[in-house]
Amino acid sequence: MALLTFQVLDGMERGRVLADLLPPITIGREEDNAIQLNDERVSRFHAKVQEDGSRVILTDLESTNGTRVNGHPIQMHVLRIGDQVSIGRCLLLFGSAHEIERQIQERKSLIRESPGGTISFESDEFEFPGGSPRDADEDLPRMFPDGPPEMPGELRPLQVAQMSDLLAHLHDRLRSVIAAGQSIDSDGGGEKQSYRTDWAAWQRMLQLEMDLAKYLKQLIDPSSGNE
């Protein structure tokens, strides 16, 4: 079982390094938590960190003000080295300095091996010849800075079929929205490209976002599917 490290970047405990934590642990305002945060915006028992196989899972314990990872609200999340966990006004960095440095070197190695790929060390984002679209909200950190999460393994045949159907449904919905749009030259010179879609396609995209929100909620709380 791996020992965990959290570094406190901001809050009353700023500068503390909480090392050699044996999961499962809880984070909260009470003294009984392995990580106690002195902040009235932090719930008494705010979040739980546990291990499942070789992965570390962060779960929000229905806290009053919620938990965020890399700027995004979560209910459950597979933690990766370098993730920033916001709880109240406290900001925790998951991983030791050594673990994070090792992660940086691994990312640099991946970029060197990527054909035509370069890296901007100011933003630590991939760039490829010809450029690529920026995030709609450029100020919001990426929830998964190392790329998409892995598919779950060791699924039963029924679960594989259900996962396949779900992903095929999402793929079909996204394809219909993309097919309804068109690329336009926004400056007349061909240097700036925008993408425009009609109202109906946009509404389908919003409905898809709502469907995804329901799926995520039902994964955490199966009884919510009856609401």
Side-chain angles (χ1 to χ4, degrees):
M1 182 174 291
L3 298 178
L4 311 179
T5 299
F6 284 90
Q7 303 179 64
V8 185
L9 301 183
D10 203 3
M12 294 292 291
E13 284 77 25
R14 182 174 57 191
R16 288 182 62 193
V17 177
L18 305 161
D20 298 330
L21 300 172
L22 182 65
I25 63 169
T26 56
I27 305 171
R29 202 173 64 248
E30 289 287 318
E31 292 183 359
D32 292 338
N33 293 283
I35 300 179
Q36 183 187 12
L37 300 175
N38 184 17
D39 182 349
E40 68 273 12
R41 297 186 184 182
V42 176
S43 296
R44 294 174 60 249
F45 293 93
H46 196 108
K48 176 176 67 175
V49 182
Q50 64 194 78
E51 194 175 36
D52 188 347
S54 61
R55 302 304 180 91
V56 178
I57 311 297
L58 172 69
T59 304
D60 180 81
L61 298 176
E62 298 184 356
S63 63
T64 301
N65 294 305
T67 302
R68 291 177 175 266
V69 174
N70 299 330
H72 299 263
I74 63 99
Q75 289 178 293
M76 293 184 72
H77 179 75
V78 180
L79 283 173
R80 302 182 181 189
I81 296 299
D83 276 348
Q84 298 179 43
V85 181
S86 299
I87 295 179
R89 286 170 291 193
C90 304
L91 182 62
L92 309 178
L93 182 64
F94 178 59
S96 66
H98 175 73
E99 289 171 326
I100 291 172
E101 178 60 30
R102 184 172 60 194
Q103 186 81 350
I104 290 171
Q105 297 305 320
E106 289 176 357
R107 292 181 68 178
K108 288 181 179 179
S109 176
L110 287 174
I111 292 164
R112 285 194 295 268
E113 294 172 2
S114 179
T118 61
I119 187 170
S120 167
F121 288 98
E122 289 76 23
S123 63
D124 199 23
E125 294 180 353
F126 289 98
E127 296 178 355
F128 291 92
S132 59
R134 301 286 299 277
D135 287 343
D137 188 348
E138 297 180 357
D139 296 326
L140 190 64
R142 295 175 184 267
M143 188 172 186
F144 301 102
D146 292 327
E150 296 178 5
M151 288 286 289
E154 299 182 1
L155 298 178
R156 300 195 310 272
L158 175 59
Q159 293 174 318
V160 171
Q162 290 173 320
M163 177 69 74
S164 177
D165 286 345
L166 176 58
L167 292 177
H169 164 68
L170 299 176
H171 180 271
D172 183 66
R173 293 285 293 275
L174 283 172
R175 183 178 54 80
S176 68
V177 173
I178 293 171
Q182 59 178 329
S183 179
I184 59 174
D185 185 354
S186 58
D187 67 350
E191 295 184 0
K192 293 184 178 180
Q193 295 288 324
S194 299
Y195 192 80
R196 181 168 58 194
T197 191
D198 60 28
W199 183 86
W202 177 247
Q203 291 300 311
R204 288 197 297 270
M205 178 67 81
L206 294 178
Q207 185 57 53
L208 177 59
E209 182 178 10
M210 185 61 194
D211 289 344
L212 287 169
K214 289 180 180 178
Y215 288 142
L216 290 170
K217 183 176 178 61
Q218 289 173 25
L219 280 172
I220 307 302
D221 180 12
S223 65
S224 65
N226 301 322
E227 297 177 357

